[in-house]
């Protein structure tokens, strides 16, 4: 939907390793978001971007960093993955110039052993 | 801070019957949107219906309708003539920023898992 591609779709890694998740969009939307989904918590905002090189923290940003060097790409990095970061990660985009809602990618399932 | 509460972790309904999922919220905005998202086993997040708070008329999309009570800050979703394909997690969501265009950080409820009984 809205040309959002998340990669990888699934990843298993070990505690302490760095992990980068990629969100790529083809809609030229200004705003991009990273959420994590955990049982009993719904989706929670990690970081968001309101333009190239413009990012800000969300509700659960500790242990995560992001970068947006191009409009179409928004990267989420776990510098040193921990088991508590095992989750499903969703990217979303928003035009911001109309009343259209956020569009979501298909999610990345990340398991940290 | 905004909050969204879904007090029913799981619901079930017989096929072809009607079910109502509840959602309450808190916000300091006077005008805002509210959303219901559906997440089937495929994991996609699909927008089901949207309500604008300044509109008194409840939103309807085919078999899906809402009961929006602004004063009570209640936003329930009614699914009529339930079908097997309605089985999913349903999330209520409230965007920040009121009804203005631009950046909107979504606050989600914890979700209700809906099972359809054939």
């Amino acid at each position: 939907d809205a040309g959002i591609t998340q990669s990888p779709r699934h990843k298993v890694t070990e505690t302490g390793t760095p992990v980068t998740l990629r969100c790529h969009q083809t809609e030229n939307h200004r705003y991009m978001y990273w959420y994590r989904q955990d049982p009993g918590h719904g989706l929670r905002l990690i970081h968001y971007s309101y333009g190239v090189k413009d990012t800000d923290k969300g509700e659960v940003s500790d242990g995560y960093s992001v970068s947006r060097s191009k409009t179409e790409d928004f990267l989420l990095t776990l510098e040193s993955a921990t088991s508590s970061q095992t989750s499903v990660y969703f990217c979303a985009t928003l035009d911001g110039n109309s009343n259209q809602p956020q569009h979501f990618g298909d999610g990345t399932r990340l398991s940290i052993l | 801070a905004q909050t969204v509460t879904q007090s029913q972790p799981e619901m079930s309904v017989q096929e072809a019957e009607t079910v109502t999922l509840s959602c309450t919220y808190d916000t300091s905005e006077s005008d805002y949107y509210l959303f219901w998202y559906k997440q089937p086993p495929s994991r996609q997040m699909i927008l089901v219906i949207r309500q604008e708070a300044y509109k008194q008329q409840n939103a309807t999309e085919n078999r899906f309708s809402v009961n929006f009570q602004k004063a009570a800050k209640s936003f329930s979703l009614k699914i009529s003539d339930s079908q097997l394909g309605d089985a999913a997690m349903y999330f209520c969501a409230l965007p920040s920023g009121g009804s203005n265009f631009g950046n909107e950080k979504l606050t989600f409820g914890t979700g209700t898992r809906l099972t359809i009984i054939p």
Side-chain angles (χ1 to χ4, degrees), chain A residues 15-113:
Chain A
T15 300
T17 60
V19 177
T20 296
L21 307 183
R22 181 183 184 231
C23 178
H24 178 78
Q25 59 136 337
T26 60
E27 297 296 315
N28 201 37
H29 285 177
R30 176 182 176 184
Y31 300 96
M32 299 185 75
Y33 308 84
W34 278 108
Y35 295 89
R36 62 177 287 175
Q37 181 179 10
D38 304 289
H41 290 279
L43 279 76
R44 293 177 292 173
L45 182 65
I46 305 171
H47 281 282
Y48 64 96
S49 169
Y50 46 96
V52 173
K53 297 186 179 179
D54 291 324
T55 65
D56 206 349
K57 297 178 180 180
E59 178 188 355
V60 290
S61 60
D62 288 348
Y64 301 95
S65 62
V66 290
S67 66
R68 191 168 178 201
S69 59
K70 298 183 291 184
T71 298
E72 58 265 36
D73 289 327
F74 192 33
L75 304 180
L76 177 71
T77 298
L78 292 65
E79 298 290 348
S80 178
T82 68
S83 58
S84 64
Q85 294 175 311
T86 292
S87 187
V88 178
Y89 292 85
F90 285 95
C91 174
T93 71
L94 180 71
D95 178 13
N97 294 315
S98 68
N99 66 353
Q100 293 302 307
Q102 287 186 23
H103 295 274
F104 285 82
D106 291 338
T108 293
R109 181 174 296 279
L110 178 63
S111 298
I112 301 165
L113 307 177

Side-chain angles (χ1 to χ4, degrees), chain B residues 61-98:
Chain B
E61 290 287 343
N62 300 314
R63 297 182 294 106
F64 297 87
S65 61
V66 300
N67 183 5
F68 175 53
Q69 303 288 332
K70 189 174 183 180
K73 293 184 177 176
S74 172
F75 180 58
S76 60
L77 175 70
K78 186 172 81 171
I79 306 174
S80 304
D81 185 26
S82 298
Q83 300 176 0
L84 295 178
D86 296 333
M89 281 288 284
Y90 286 83
F91 292 99
C92 179
L94 172 66
S96 63

